[in-house]
Amino acid sequence: GRRQPCTPLSGGQRLLRVAGCGVRTHREGDLLQLAHYRRILEATGWCSGGVPVAGIIGTDEILIRQGRPVLGRNRTHRPGDLKHLVISWANLGAKRLRTFARTASSGWRYRSSLERYDHEFAFRLRIAEIAARRTGSPDDPDPRVRPIVVHECESCPWWVACKPQLNDDDLSLRIDKARLDVHEITVLRSMGISTITDLACTDVEQLLPTYLPEVQHRPGAENRLRLAAERADMLAHGIAVKKTSVGPIELPAQGYSIDLDIETSAAARVYLWGFLVNDPDDDSGPHYVSFSRFEDLGHAGERALAEEAATWLVEQLTAHPEAKVYHYSDYEVVHIRRIARKSASPSLRELAQNWTRTNFFDLFPVVQKNFFGVHGLGLKKLAHNGAGFNWRDEDPGGLNSQCWFAEAVHGPNHEVRAGFATRVLEYNEDDVRATRALRAWMRTLS
Ligand code: SF4
């Protein structure tokens, strides 16, 4: 029911109100940054009076349909085209951020971006004041805070100073999946629980009466703590993945099968289709087949490549109607159907409409149903930690492969481009081999 005020970037100072959308409060970092600018402008005498509004330039496009502004997508959009982008106005004084509040009966209350900012800034001032009084003498005051690992640490220049202050088994350092937030870690530390061993050796039931009232800002705080405790226990015992179900895992019968994995560019275009063909009658073992284009693909290029790959795959499936095509998550099927919608290719359409329903098999739901992973259930983690599979690349990952693809297309010379193309192809081949290793491993478990 909200009507977000916006101003077109290209439309003078006209104010639009877009129904059904608003500035997202979970982007708290953006709002705090705007509050920071507001306070700087105030301090330097440049701030306007009135309601404290601030503008965010987003990537959503606002179109005018039947005289009304609506969220939409300009199909003729080109990079650098600002025509449909807007400044969204956020009221920094509106109380919309859910925050911890010890004195509230619920344990939390809504505060405005400016209130949140002022609280955090005052806290940082106290930290700095105490740090400035520490001179290395025995009478120094204790530091006001100890580091807690958060997402930003990965790129923070202070990491070299913070890391030595952390126990190697610090909870925030070791638990990197469904990570507890700063406040949750602070509460646990105040209860004497700092490391995975501390948490693993503690009865969660006994923690809850004291812990939960302190973390009411977090929906699902109890479940988050239970999962953290389970992860702590596994880490303390050196277990990366464990089976949570009893009995064998149900998988399709073995036989002629194909493992499939696609790679997409940063522009979300599928530029590589990789298949591992497993033919029980072929004594030479599984073999890798790929269809790729190392160039900047538009709609037409991506479609042509997909049609080529689909034609080959439909031929295999027609010759082996019982064959299964294994993939990990619905990513492949989503892209096949997306590309097929605009394609006239009978093979691609047949693949999207029929074969993906009858012969494709997504391994991820099976994994979700049967395993718990300390570091999550991504293919890399599970195939490595469970099935013992190793990628040839020292740093395999989807985001990395997008960088390699960019180098394969735009690298400075032929050698560099060819090197990165090979790296992507080997990475993709290892992905499909990992899928195969994963299902082979799952069949051995009882
Ligand atoms: S490295 Fe230290 S200062 Fe930087 S984000 Fe992490 S804890 Fe904070």
Side-chain angles (χ1 to χ4, degrees):
R2 298 184 53 210
R3 288 162 62 81
Q4 173 63 38
C6 303
T7 300
L9 271 184
S10 57
Q13 296 186 0
R14 198 156 47 107
L15 192 67
L16 308 173
R17 289 191 177 274
V18 188
C21 62
V23 173
R24 295 181 186 178
T25 52
H26 74 258
R27 296 283 184 88
E28 189 177 329
D30 291 339
L31 294 169
L32 292 186
Q33 188 166 356
L34 291 170
H36 178 67
Y37 296 151
R38 171 91 192 176
R39 290 301 189 223
I40 290 174
L41 290 172
E42 284 173 352
T44 51
W46 284 93
C47 199
S48 63
V51 179
V53 290
I56 302 173
I57 301 172
T59 53
D60 288 318
E61 295 180 330
I62 306 298
L63 309 179
I64 305 295
R65 295 223 172 101
Q66 295 171 344
R68 290 196 181 154
V70 292
L71 262 179
R73 178 154 291 281
N74 167 25
R75 301 216 175 272
T76 59
H77 183 91
R78 291 190 167 77
D81 180 0
L82 307 183
K83 213 164 78 194
H84 299 283
L85 297 181
V86 294
I87 305 171
S88 290
W89 298 109
N91 181 351
L92 302 178
K95 293 180 186 288
R96 295 188 45 218
L97 300 178
R98 181 170 161 155
T99 54
F100 172 73
R102 179 165 285 110
T103 53
S105 57
S106 60
W108 61 271
R109 65 168 58 99
Y110 285 114
R111 291 192 171 92
S112 73
S113 306
L114 285 172
E115 287 172 325
R116 280 282 295 122
Y117 174 80
D118 291 342
H119 173 82
E120 292 292 343
F121 189 68
F123 181 52
R124 278 154 180 74
L125 280 184
R126 285 203 300 281
I127 294 169
E129 281 159 7
I130 291 174
R133 282 165 39 208
R134 284 165 55 84
T135 58
S137 105
D139 302 330
D140 278 351
D142 287 337
R144 184 67 181 77
V145 286
R146 280 173 49 212
I148 294 174
V149 181
V150 291
H151 183 62
E152 287 85 348
C153 294
E154 282 173 24
S155 55
C156 179
W158 289 101
W159 181 239
V160 286
C162 292
K163 171 74 175 55
Q165 297 179 50
L166 290 163
N167 185 302
D168 286 347
D169 278 340
D170 187 275
L171 273 178
S172 70
L173 182 65
R174 296 293 306 278
I175 297 183
D176 56 8
K177 187 74 188 173
R179 195 173 244 155
L180 296 175
D181 69 25
V182 168
H183 191 71
E184 290 168 309
I185 293 284
T186 305
V187 172
L188 286 173
R189 283 183 182 174
S190 73
M191 297 169 74
I193 296 168
S194 298
T195 64
I196 51 165
T197 318
D198 294 338
L199 185 55
C201 296
T202 304
D203 181 356
V204 171
E205 304 304 327
Q206 291 192 351
L207 282 182
L208 290 175
T210 312
Y211 177 78
L212 286 182
E214 299 291 325
V215 291
Q216 289 302 301
H217 68 295
R218 258 293 181 187
E222 177 177 340
N223 193 41
R224 287 168 56 78
L225 180 64
R226 288 187 188 283
L227 288 176
E230 192 165 355
R231 291 198 156 93
D233 186 59
M234 289 168 70
L235 284 165
H237 290 91
I239 301 167
V241 56
K242 69 180 177 188
K243 188 164 177 282
T244 51
S245 60
V246 178
I249 295 172
E250 280 186 29
L251 288 171
Q254 300 196 60
Y256 189 99
S257 63
I258 294 173
D259 297 280
L260 163 64
D261 184 55
I262 59 171
E263 306 298 338
T264 50
S265 65
R269 296 269 174 229
V270 183
Y271 67 87
L272 170 56
W273 298 77
F275 304 94
L276 189 72
V277 180
N278 307 277
D279 182 351
D281 297 330
D282 182 352
D283 293 338
S284 61
H287 67 275
Y288 175 65
V289 177
S290 68
F291 297 84
S292 61
R293 289 209 181 161
F294 288 96
E295 59 191 59
D296 284 324
L297 292 174
H299 286 295
E302 181 189 47
R303 198 162 53 230
L305 179 65
E307 288 167 357
E308 199 184 325
T311 302
W312 175 86
L313 183 55
V314 168
E315 275 172 22
Q316 310 307 307
L317 291 171
T318 306
H320 303 273
E322 304 298 320
K324 286 288 175 216
V325 179
Y326 293 97
H327 51 103
Y328 201 79
S329 90
D330 61 358
Y331 195 62
E332 280 71 22
V333 173
V334 166
H335 279 284
I336 289 171
R337 291 185 181 152
R338 172 183 63 80
I339 301 170
R341 275 199 289 276
K342 293 280 166 65
S343 169
S345 155
S347 293
L348 185 52
R349 295 178 76 92
E350 188 187 344
L351 188 68
Q353 289 165 11
N354 301 328
W355 293 107
T356 54
R357 294 180 210 285
T358 54
N359 289 55
F360 275 48
F361 190 90
D362 186 354
L363 289 166
F364 187 55
V366 177
V367 165
Q368 279 182 308
K369 200 172 147 197
N370 291 282
F371 296 96
F372 182 78
V374 161
H375 305 293
L377 296 173
L379 177 64
K380 306 284 178 307
K381 300 293 179 199
L382 210 73
H384 177 70
N385 295 326
F389 184 85
N390 289 312
W391 273 256
R392 276 171 285 181
D393 201 285
E394 62 193 16
D395 200 8
L399 278 179
N400 284 351
S401 72
Q402 291 186 344
C403 299
W404 304 334
F405 171 72
E407 288 293 326
V409 177
H410 299 289
N413 56 49
H414 174 73
E415 250 183 357
V416 171
R417 291 194 294 274
F420 277 103
T422 303
R423 191 171 183 181
V424 171
L425 286 165
E426 287 183 349
Y427 164 71
N428 178 261
E429 178 178 351
D430 284 353
D431 267 358
V432 284
R433 288 190 182 277
T435 311
R436 178 178 187 271
L438 177 64
R439 54 194 176 83
W441 171 65
M442 288 198 289
R443 287 185 199 281
T444 66
L445 303 175
S446 55

